[in-house]
Amino acid sequence: MTVGTAAKPGHLDVLGRVTLALLVFDGFLCAVLSVLFLPTYLGATPFPISILAAAVANLALVIAARSTTGRVGTGVLPLTGWGFGFLLCMFGGPGGDVLMLASVWTLLLLFGSLVPAAVYLWKVSAKAAFGSVSPTVGEGTR
């Protein structure tokens, strides 16, 4: 069931457009919050739970965007919002303040947040392109 589809296939009504805009903003907000909570410590040990939280949130946002329109391509929109927020956090603030340090955690946040959603989109697009029925190995024409 799709939400926000109009009479013409491929077109969204106002509710669908607002939903997609909110999902893109949620992706942006997820990036900012995951960067802010990246240097979390549990005692003296680094505890970057925001990497896992961002991965789950991005996957949920991509699934929601795809189910809003029924198209795989619109699932990328929340990831673009996330990427914009991540890039914005890389710039220094007033007085030379920096949110993201040059560490392995920053790289893990980037890849850990985007890879699960990208794999999901790749699997869904491959399933849509090749169909859900595929012959098994060893099965030939008779």
Side-chain angles (χ1 to χ4, degrees):
M1 182 168 113
T2 59
V3 177
T5 55
K8 294 181 183 178
H11 289 107
L12 292 175
D13 60 356
V14 175
L15 180 63
R17 291 175 193 240
V18 169
T19 303
L20 278 179
L22 286 174
L23 290 171
V24 171
F25 176 72
D26 287 343
F28 173 80
L29 192 61
C30 175
V32 172
L33 290 175
S34 62
V35 166
L36 288 176
F37 285 104
L38 187 61
T40 304
Y41 278 81
L42 190 62
T45 308
F47 190 67
I49 193 68
S50 66
I51 296 172
L52 179 63
V56 171
N58 277 342
L59 185 59
L61 291 172
V62 165
I63 291 171
R66 185 182 161 272
S67 68
T68 298
T69 61
R71 295 183 299 174
V72 178
T74 56
V76 179
L77 291 176
L79 294 181
T80 58
W82 192 93
F84 180 71
F86 188 80
L87 288 175
L88 188 66
C89 289
M90 292 179 87
F91 293 117
D97 293 341
V98 178
L99 288 176
M100 300 216 309
L101 304 174
S103 71
V104 69
W105 299 116
T106 303
L107 190 62
L108 285 174
L109 176 65
L110 178 67
F111 288 116
S113 298
L114 296 179
V115 167
V119 167
Y120 169 77
L121 286 175
W122 178 71
K123 283 186 176 185
V124 169
S125 65
K127 186 176 179 181
F130 298 118
S132 60
V133 177
S134 62
T136 59
V137 177
E139 187 176 291
T141 55
R142 295 180 188 176

